[in-house]
Amino acid sequence: MPSLLILNGPNLNLLGLRQPEVYGSVTLSDIEEVCQARASALGFDMTFFQSNHEGLLVDAIHDARGTHDGIALNAGAFTHTSIALMDAITSVELPCVEVHLSNIHAREEFRHRSYIAPVALGQICGFGAQSYLLAIDALASHLGQL
Ligand code: CA2
């Protein structure tokens, strides 16, 4: 069965637990649950992982090669800073969809730049938890499962 990796970066473990006025009340484990349901419905296995550490995210991307068929990546604030994550995505040659809960282009200037976007199939942002489901649909369509 084809498999997807849903990868989450720094502070996303705090979703729903802190600053609900900015990021809403949905927790990362709620998001995992809806992603699991969508992935299964589309015929995918799914692994969902979060880390606050850039190197662990790089390791997870490297390990995806040969294990997973596509990646949905919410790199959090590393989106705007990490050449290491950009290089890791390039190196594994797996389709990657960049995901954000918020519309990063409607926020502070420093969030407008993404190091992930140039090496991703595309970017989905601004739809809250739904952004993850749209990313799974985009990967499914790219991989011929939709
Ligand atoms: O909108 C997104 O998904 C972001 O990736 C979220 C990141 C932010 O740095 C990006 O620019 C856009 C921040 C995630 C922080 O999540 C928190 C949740 C609750 C409390 C504090 C932070």
Side-chain angles (χ1 to χ4, degrees):
M1 189 182 277
S3 180
L4 301 178
L5 174 64
I6 316 294
L7 200 51
N8 297 280
N11 298 309
L12 286 160
N13 55 309
L14 298 178
L15 272 185
L17 310 174
R18 306 263 197 290
Q19 292 180 263
E21 67 286 359
V22 182
Y23 291 107
S25 57
V26 173
T27 66
L28 196 61
S29 115
D30 295 332
I31 293 176
E32 177 173 4
E33 208 172 297
V34 292
C35 284
Q36 182 62 71
R38 181 65 126 255
S40 297
L42 293 170
F44 287 104
D45 279 335
M46 187 205 80
T47 299
F48 195 93
F49 179 69
Q50 186 273 335
S51 178
N52 294 319
H53 303 278
E54 189 175 15
L56 289 181
L57 295 167
V58 170
D59 288 343
I61 293 167
H62 290 177
D63 293 346
R65 196 183 169 96
T67 310
H68 299 289
D69 299 286
I71 300 173
L73 173 61
N74 184 351
F78 290 150
T79 302
H80 320 297
T81 62
S82 181
I83 296 169
L85 287 178
M86 178 180 77
D87 286 348
I89 291 295
T90 303
S91 73
V92 290
E93 299 178 326
L94 287 172
C96 173
V97 174
E98 178 181 351
V99 183
H100 298 285
L101 297 155
S102 62
N103 179 356
I104 57 174
H105 304 288
R107 300 184 63 190
E108 304 95 322
E109 189 88 29
F110 66 84
R111 295 188 204 272
H112 299 181
R113 162 184 282 196
S114 167
Y115 282 95
I116 308 303
V119 296
L121 281 181
Q123 182 189 71
I124 297 171
C125 68
F127 298 100
Q130 183 74 16
S131 293
Y132 283 77
L133 301 182
L134 293 168
I136 289 172
D137 287 354
L139 285 166
S141 169
H142 181 81
L143 293 166
Q145 295 282 118
L146 190 69

